């Protein structure tokens, strides 16, 4: 309804403007000054309306504005025809209504200035002063906007031909400033017009008009002759005075932004303290962070765009000023939300990184300030703040592309303290990823320590609580990162490397039951890699007291892996023990290796209960033990004995059988003469065969259910015999093999075993070896008299 | 006497011309019937001289008892219409009794005439100067011809011309201080001034400055006062806030003003006032009236 009326009124006003403009044009065409004035005043009277919304009023204003152009030209011609411009200037002021009078005055005023009959200064002063008479905010704003518009190209400035005297440009400046001040006052006052329930709508409308005010600042910036000195001494203080005094949120916010955007970077740099000094004086509701961020962003870009400007930044101590100002602002606005203050610091940080990329202490200082601020608010909980702080912390990372640099920032970890768990973790991920992305080389244990300290969000749970809602896949992915990081740590100096390992261990061990199985293996392998290197180099190059001896590292690993067994990952622990044992073996540390085995056995006995797991574990044990060369006879016997014992105690017979024949390998090592106990090998195999017999019997007992397992067991055994035969075990006789073959043959006849392919290929192999001319294999195979396939 | 003129054709045509009539400045004057005529302009102490032509109509002779010319300054009150009060009356006999047969020209001269009052055309009163030529005839009635002329008197710049400055207001509602640069303005002057708003608690819509003329005629109980608003000039649009100062600049040229007349011959006075009017949103008017003196300053040009 209101909008409809608005339209109606506007239409009526526009019609009236058109009509009067038509008559005015006719009067102009016939050079009738009096009528031209009369109709132009009538036309302008339409602008006296109070009924239109700012938007519609603007439309109307534009119509009138276009018509006034014609009038201005007419005035110009009129003066050419000998009419004194001073008279004209007086004549228009006879208009009874103020608004048309002033519009006409501005129009003729601009012509007057052009004519150079008087100094521009006088006219400008007069105009801007007279315009005070319109106190109605909307009408006043547009009137002054018109004034600014028509005088814009006529402002005297240095070098312009309108310059009357030396002070002319100062006066022009004064003019614009004054017009700006008045416009702003009017603009601010607009909010109080009308009922308070429409305030919101009014503020919206008001916001639409802001460019009218801002344009003045633009004019100021374009004004020739405004150099740094004038800007610093006159322009800026005056503008700021107005901005601060108007005590209006909308205006302050907009104008501060205007100032920042409109004037040259260099000016800002040189007047930073003035500009910043105004910030804490603004209304508390002003979104100061946007303002300051804008400023810092501009300065950053400035610094980025021109290298020559950098010394200036140093000279004016831009950093400390900004830092101080932000501190002030934060202090002044007690209820500033954390997100806002963090954003402020974020922009300061970005600025610092741009301008003072070599000044880590500055960066650190920003972080420090942020910490101080956060300490007041406590942990950050809301998403927005979290997002900002992630950006904040990522900024230096993006700039330096080097985590090591970040580690030098002492306040960095302090900031991280204030993150909630999620954010902290996210940040840790970013940090770690950066290492991979930039292929950062981390050179010292201290750095590693710091990095892990930073990334502890990934490494351990906070407050001992475990978040059940964590997505398993994500969790794996995260820990994967940690593992990758551990693997990535590598430096040439073994001494330092061992320190690194110690450090990493310290951090990882605290990771809790969920993480340990994922993070310990990389650590162990990294350590083992180091041990291999140590062994490869000189024997103990650092003397006895050096930390980086294999023994010490193994000792550490032993402790580390032990942690794993506590967190119900015995399988893994066992594997790692065995790996360590192997390393100890390679370093010829018998007792250490023995200890590892003992632990592995212990684990096997106490923790591994699942039969399948047992089978796997036992295989690992046997495989590893087979390769151990460091043990003396006694130790080896003990271990072998135990392993054999475990084999016999497996739950399922086939497993037993297989484990036992695997054990045979424990008595036979190819490259080691004193480890070829053929007798015991055969003993083992025999025992295995007995177990296979038992399996066979059970299978026969439950005939009907197709059990083929035993046959393949026999075939496997046969293969084992063949293996040892080839290796030259004298205890493996042709008879044994033959009888086994017979057995297989008879068994296959009894039942469809399904093991035929295996049997056939074994037979083919035997045949093949028999026919080998060289290598002496055929001799060994001579023992076997086979009449399998006649 | 007038109706006789209508009944009979006058025997002769009388015309009055001034010596420097071609060059003398003419000013428009509104006649009773609304017509505007141009009349020559004089000022006090000027010599009013010229010629009077008496031209009998063809074939007629004018027999007379003498011809005289009078210079009259008259005040006419409209409520007392037809009664002229002559405050100045000078007579010159220009011809002795006799007969006029053909066109005859008589020079006349009133030298350095004292004309203290200006010509004035008000609502209730008129002050005029006129030359009256009378051809006195015994039986047929005298033949009379009038020629109006305008007198304007110029005064020098007043030695003392203080500004008008005043603070007025309604308690806790509106306090303003206004200042007009002078208390005495000449007719082509500009009123300059400022209005300071010290306190504004009402919603002002606009502010006008009015120029009012107060014409009082008669004396004592018969005094008639007539007030006219001659100009209404908008000074301000919208509501000012505390501390605003609004400029005043009013050109007096476009308005039909006269100098202030004080007690002219005990018959009438004309005074001028500046009336500052503030109108609020409910169209209530707040005003303050200040007398100003208007005077006629000798123009440098012409």
């Amino acid at each position: 309804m209101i909008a409809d009326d608005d339209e109606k009124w506007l239409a009526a006003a526009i019609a009236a403007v058109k009509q009067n403009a038509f008559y005015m044009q006719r009067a102009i065409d016939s050079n009738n000054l009096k009528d031209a004035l009369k109709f132009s005043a009538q036309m302008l009277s339409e602008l006296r309306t109070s009924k239109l919304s700012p938007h519609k009023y603007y439309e109307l204003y534009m119509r009138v504005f276009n018509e006034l152009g014609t009038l201005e030209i007419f005035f110009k011609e009129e003066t050419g025809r000998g009419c004194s411009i001073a008279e004209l200037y007086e004549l228009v002021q006879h208009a009874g209504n103020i608004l048309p009078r002033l519009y006409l005055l501005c129009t003729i005023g601009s012509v007057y200035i052009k004519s150079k009959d008087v100094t521009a200064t006088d006219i400008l002063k007069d105009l801007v002063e007279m315009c005070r008479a319109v106190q109605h905010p909307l009408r006043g704003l547009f009137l002054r906007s018109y004034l600014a518009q028509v005088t814009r190209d006529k402002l005297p400035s240095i070098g312009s031909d309108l310059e009357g005297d030396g002070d002319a440009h100062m006066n022009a400046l004064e003019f614009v400033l004054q017009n700006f001040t008045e416009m702003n006052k009017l603009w601010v006052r607009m909010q109080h017009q009308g009922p308070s329930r429409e305030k919101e709508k009014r503020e919206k409308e008001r916001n639409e008009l802001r460019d009218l005010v801002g344009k003045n600042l633009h004019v100021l910036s374009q004004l020739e002759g405004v150099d740094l000195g004038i800007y610093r001494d006159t322009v800026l203080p005056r503008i700021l005075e107005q901005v601060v005094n108007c005590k209006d949120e909308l205006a302050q916010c907009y104008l501060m932004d205007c100032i920042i955007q409109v004037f040259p970077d260099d000016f800002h740099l040189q007047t930073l303290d003035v500009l910043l000094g105004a910030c804490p004086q603004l209304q508390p509701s002003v979104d100061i962070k946007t303002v300051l961020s804008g400023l810092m962003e501009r300065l950053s870009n400035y610094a980025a765009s021109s290298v020559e400007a950098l010394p200036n930044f140093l000279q004016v101590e831009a950093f400390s000023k900004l830092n101080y100002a932000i501190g002030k602002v934060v202090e002044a606005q007690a209820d500033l939300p954390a997100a806002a203050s963090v954003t402020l610091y974020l922009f300061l940080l970005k600025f610092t990184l741009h301008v003072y990329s070599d000044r880590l202490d500055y960066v650190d200082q920003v972080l420090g300030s942020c910490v101080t601020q956060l300490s007041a608010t406590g942990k950050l909980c809301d998403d927005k703040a979290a997002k900002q702080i992630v950006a904040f912390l990522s900024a230096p990372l993006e700039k330096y592309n080097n985590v090591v640099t970040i580690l030098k920032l002492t306040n960095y970890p302090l900031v991280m303290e204030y993150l909630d768990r999620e954010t902290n973790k996210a940040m840790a991920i970013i940090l770690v990823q950066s290492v991979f992305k930039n292929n950062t080389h981390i050179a010292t244990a201290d750095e590693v320590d710091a990095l892990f300290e930073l990334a502890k969000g990934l490494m351990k749970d906070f407050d001992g609580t475990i978040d059940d809602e964590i997505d398993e896949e994500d969790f794996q992915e995260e820990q994967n990162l940690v593992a990758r990081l551990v693997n990535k740590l590598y430096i040439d100096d073994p001494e330092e490397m061992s320190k690194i390992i110690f450090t990493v261990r310290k951090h990882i061990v605290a990771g809790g039951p969920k993480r340990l199985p994922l993070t310990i293996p990389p650590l162990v392998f990294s350590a083992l890699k180091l041990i291999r290197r140590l062994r490869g180099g000189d024997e103990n190059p650092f003397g006895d007291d050096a930390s980086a001896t294999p023994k010490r590292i193994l000792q550490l690993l032993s402790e580390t892996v032990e942690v794993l067994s506590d967190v119900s990952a015995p399988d893994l622990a066992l594997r790692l023990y065995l790996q360590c044992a192997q390393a100890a073996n390679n370093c010829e540390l018998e007792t250490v290796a023995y200890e590892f085995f003992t632990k592995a056995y212990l684990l096997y006995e106490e923790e591994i209960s699942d039969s399948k797991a047992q089978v796997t574990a036992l295989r690992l044990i046997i495989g590893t033990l087979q390769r151990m060369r460091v043990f003396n006879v006694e130790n080896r016997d003990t271990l072998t004995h135990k392993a054999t014992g475990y084999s016999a105690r497996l739950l399922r017979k086939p497993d037993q059988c297989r484990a036992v024949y695997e054990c045979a390998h424990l008595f036979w090592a190819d490259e080691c003469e004193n480890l070829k106990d053929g007798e015991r090998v055969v003993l083992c195999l025999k025992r295995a065969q007995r177990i296979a017999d038992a399996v066979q019997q059970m299978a026969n007992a439950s005939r009907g259910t197709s059990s083929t397992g035993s046959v393949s067991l026999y075939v496997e055994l046969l293969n084992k015999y063949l293996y040892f035969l080839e290796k030259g075990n004298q205890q493996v006789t042709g008879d044994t093999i033959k009888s086994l073959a017979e057995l297989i043959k008879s068994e296959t006849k009894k039942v469809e075993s399904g093991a035929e392919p295996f049997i056939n290929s074994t037979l083919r192999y035997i045949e093949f070896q028999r026919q080998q001319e060289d290598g002496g294999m055929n001799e060994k195979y001579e023992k076997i008299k086979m009449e399998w396939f006649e | 006497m007038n109706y006789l003129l209508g009944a009979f054709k006058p025997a002769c045509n009388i015309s009055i011309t001034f010596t420097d009539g071609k060059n003398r400045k003419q000013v428009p004057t509104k006649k009773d019937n609304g017509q505007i005529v141009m009349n020559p302009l004089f000022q006090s102490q000027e010599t009013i001289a010229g010629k009077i032509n008496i031209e009998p109509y063809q074939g007629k002779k004018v027999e007379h008892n003498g011809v005289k010319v009078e210079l009259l300054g008259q005040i006419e009150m409209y409520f007392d219409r037809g009664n002229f009060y002559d405050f100045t009356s000078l007579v010159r006999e220009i011809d002795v009794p006799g007969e006029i047969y053909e066109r005859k020209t008589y020079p006349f001269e009133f030298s350095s005439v004292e004309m203290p009052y200006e010509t004035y055309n008000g609502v209730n009163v008129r002050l005029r100067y006129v030359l009256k030529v009378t051809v006195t005839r015994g039986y047929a009635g005298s033949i009379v011809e009038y020629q109006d002329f305008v007198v304007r008197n110029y005064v020098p710049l007043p030695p003392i011309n203080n500004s008008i400055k005043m603070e007025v207001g309604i308690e806790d509602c509106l306090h303003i201080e206004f200042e007009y640069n002078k208390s005495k303005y000449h007719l082509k002057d500009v009123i300059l001034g400022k209005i300071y708003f010290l306190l504004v608690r009402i919603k002002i819509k606009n502010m006008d400055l009015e120029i009012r003329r107060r014409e009082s005629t008669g004396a004592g109980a018969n005094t008639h006062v007539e007030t006219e608003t001659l100009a209404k000039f908008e000074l301000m649009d919208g509501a000012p806030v505390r501390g605003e100062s609004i400029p005043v600049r009013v050109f007096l040229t476009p308005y039909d003003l006269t100098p202030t007349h004080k007690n002219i011959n005990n018959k009438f006075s004309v005074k001028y006032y500046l009336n500052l009017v503030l109108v609020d949103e409910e169209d209530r008017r707040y005003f303050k009236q200040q007398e100003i003196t208007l005077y006629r300053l000798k123009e440098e040009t012409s």
Side-chain angles (χ1 to χ4, degrees), chain A residues 327-433:
Chain A
K328 277 275 168 214
V329 166
V330 169
E331 201 178 291
Q333 305 196 353
D335 50 353
L336 198 66
S341 58
V342 172
T343 313
L344 270 179
Y345 284 115
L346 169 63
F347 277 96
L348 177 60
L349 186 65
K350 280 187 176 164
F351 166 78
T352 315
L353 290 171
H354 259 106
V355 179
Y356 303 99
S357 53
D358 51 340
R359 293 294 297 266
L360 269 182
D361 55 332
Y362 282 175
V363 177
D364 203 27
Q365 227 173 309
V366 178
L367 291 165
S369 311
C370 190
V371 169
T372 322
Q373 164 63 13
L374 289 175
S375 65
T377 54
K379 286 226 180 202
L380 294 169
C381 303
D382 65 310
D383 280 357
K384 231 169 105 193
K387 230 182 241 167
Q388 289 298 339
I389 206 144
V390 168
F392 177 66
L393 289 171
S394 306
L397 207 55
E398 281 156 18
K399 171 72 184 179
Y400 295 115
N401 280 330
N402 189 345
V403 173
V404 179
T405 317
I406 304 301
L407 300 178
K408 291 185 192 138
L409 302 169
T410 53
N411 283 314
Y412 203 91
L414 295 180
V415 177
M416 294 211 34
E417 292 284 321
Y418 289 98
L419 305 182
D420 61 11
R421 194 173 54 212
E422 275 303 305
T423 322
N424 197 326
K425 199 168 72 190
M427 201 53 233
I429 291 176
I430 291 173
L431 280 167
V432 175
Q433 273 170 343

Side-chain angles (χ1 to χ4, degrees), chain A residues 193-209:
Chain A
Q193 302 276 311
S196 54
R197 69 194 135 81
E198 287 172 11
K199 187 159 171 79
E200 200 172 316
K201 175 170 161 261
R202 224 162 36 232
E203 286 295 271
K204 201 174 138 264
E205 290 173 344
R206 191 155 79 90
N207 201 26
E208 288 170 4
L209 294 175

Side-chain angles (χ1 to χ4, degrees), chain A residues 44-45 48 92-105 130-136 139 143, chain B residues 205-208 232-238 246-249:
Chain A
L44 286 163
S45 288
R48 299 175 68 208
V92 298
Q93 295 186 66
H94 293 174
N97 282 320
I98 185 79
L99 200 69
R101 187 195 315 151
L102 290 177
Y103 270 102
L104 289 173
L105 194 66
M130 290 310 282
C131 282
R132 274 175 188 280
V134 179
Q135 291 287 325
H136 185 275
R139 296 195 282 270
L143 172 68
Chain B
K205 204 163 68 178
N206 62 338
M207 175 167 72
D208 295 335
K232 190 172 167 214
F233 194 75
E234 193 181 19
L235 287 183
M236 183 185 74
D237 172 28
I246 308 298
V248 177
R249 182 189 293 161

Side-chain angles (χ1 to χ4, degrees), chain A residues 592-749:
Chain A
V592 178
Y594 190 81
E595 199 184 320
F596 278 121
F597 258 95
T598 321
K599 286 191 169 176
Y601 280 3
L602 210 64
L603 267 183
Y604 179 82
E605 283 171 20
E606 290 176 359
E607 304 285 346
I608 299 179
S609 49
D610 179 59
S611 62
K612 268 186 192 157
Q614 279 179 342
V615 172
T616 323
L618 196 55
R619 277 206 175 144
L620 284 168
I621 292 175
I622 294 168
T624 314
L625 186 56
Q626 202 272 338
R627 295 192 163 273
M628 301 301 276
R629 298 292 174 266
V630 71
F631 294 130
N632 60 23
V633 180
E634 196 183 327
N635 281 343
R636 193 176 169 88
D637 270 356
T638 318
L639 292 174
T640 312
H641 184 76
K642 277 220 162 176
T644 325
Y646 294 150
S647 308
R649 280 200 296 276
L650 283 174
L651 185 65
R652 289 176 61 232
K653 287 281 179 194
D655 290 338
Q656 276 180 20
C657 170
R658 287 190 178 106
V660 171
Y661 70 62
E662 300 279 8
C663 280
H665 286 288
L666 293 177
F667 303 104
W668 191 273
D670 272 343
E671 76 284 4
C672 186
E673 274 313 312
N674 59 359
L675 246 176
K676 290 189 178 172
D677 191 342
E679 206 170 327
R680 289 177 77 174
V681 169
V682 174
L683 221 60
C684 270
L685 293 178
K686 286 252 159 75
R687 242 170 93 188
Q689 196 172 347
R690 273 201 300 279
I691 298 168
D693 289 342
V695 174
Q696 186 62 22
Q697 273 167 16
M698 278 168 64
N700 287 343
S702 59
R703 174 88 48 208
T705 62
S706 62
S707 162
T708 61
S710 55
V711 180
S712 50
L713 278 179
Y714 286 135
V715 184
E716 284 164 28
L717 266 171
L718 178 61
N719 276 292
K720 282 288 165 202
Y721 275 119
L722 291 175
Y723 171 81
F724 286 110
L725 176 76
E726 283 176 19
K727 293 296 175 193
N729 187 338
Q730 298 300 320
Q731 302 298 319
V732 179
T733 61
D735 290 343
T736 326
I737 293 173
K738 198 170 152 191
S739 64
L740 186 55
E742 293 288 330
L743 188 60
I744 295 169
K745 194 173 165 189
S746 68
E747 284 299 327
T748 41
K749 275 182 184 154

